[in-house]
Amino acid sequence: MRHASKEMEAENKEKEKDKACDGEGKEKGNVLKEDEKKKKEEREMESFLVMVDAIWNYSVLDVESTLRHVCQKVLFDNSVSVEARAKRAEGLYVMGKIFKEKGKSAKEGLSAFKDQFRAQINAQTPQETQSADEEASAAPKEN
């Protein structure tokens, strides 16, 4: 969470810097320079990924808690026979093996998601820039 608050502080400082630049004649209303835009996009991406980390960790805790409660109910249900609980335990064991064989670690899964997200963002950025340029060139020019 400390990392997230540092990111938010950096973002607030950047916004204040942008507001200060509005007062200067040549930068007022203009888009930030390209390298500044890239740095800002990188900071925004990093902030988003920090939020994804937090949401991911919360989801993991929620799933683990739910699974723990389900196992308690399935394995210690006194309304069924001991044999039925033994079969349930075997079923849970088989399911656990399948999930372990097919699944990834939390670190691998989160890393794969981040990589996929970055690839999608990078693929969209040139297209969005190109379509914005096309719209600007298609607009009627004022004389």
Side-chain angles (χ1 to χ4, degrees):
M1 290 300 185
R2 289 182 185 173
H3 192 279
S5 63
K6 288 180 183 179
E7 290 293 328
M8 293 174 88
E9 287 177 17
E11 187 68 27
N12 288 337
K13 287 180 183 178
E14 185 65 30
K15 287 179 183 178
E16 289 174 11
K17 180 181 171 186
D18 290 346
K19 287 179 184 178
C21 289
D22 285 347
E24 299 175 13
K26 62 182 178 181
E27 288 190 8
K28 185 176 182 181
N30 290 342
V31 181
L32 297 173
K33 294 178 184 176
E34 286 300 314
D35 46 322
E36 290 176 352
K37 282 173 60 175
K38 286 181 183 179
K39 288 179 185 178
K40 185 176 180 181
E41 288 173 0
E42 288 172 7
R43 282 193 306 274
E44 289 173 352
M45 173 72 77
E46 190 60 35
S47 295
F48 176 78
L49 293 177
V50 168
M51 287 190 302
V52 168
D53 275 334
I55 293 168
W56 180 275
N57 290 329
Y58 176 78
S59 297
V60 168
L61 291 174
D62 184 46
V63 168
E64 288 176 349
S65 174
T66 302
L67 184 58
R68 210 173 291 113
H69 284 94
V70 168
C71 288
Q72 283 290 102
K73 286 187 178 202
V74 167
L75 298 175
F76 298 101
D77 182 8
N78 289 324
S79 67
V80 296
S81 67
V82 174
E83 292 81 21
R85 285 185 277 175
K87 285 186 178 186
R88 289 177 178 181
E90 289 174 23
L92 284 174
Y93 177 75
V94 170
M95 283 181 19
K97 280 180 66 174
I98 292 169
F99 276 99
K100 189 172 183 178
E101 289 172 8
K102 302 295 180 181
K104 295 180 180 180
S105 72
K107 188 174 183 178
E108 290 172 330
L110 187 56
S111 177
F113 173 80
K114 287 179 179 181
D115 292 343
Q116 185 179 20
F117 180 77
R118 282 188 183 110
Q120 288 177 346
I121 293 297
N122 290 336
Q124 288 177 353
T125 303
Q127 293 170 353
E128 290 173 358
T129 304
Q130 182 180 5
S131 64
D133 290 344
E134 289 172 358
E135 288 176 14
S137 65
K141 295 181 182 178
E142 294 180 21
N143 289 333

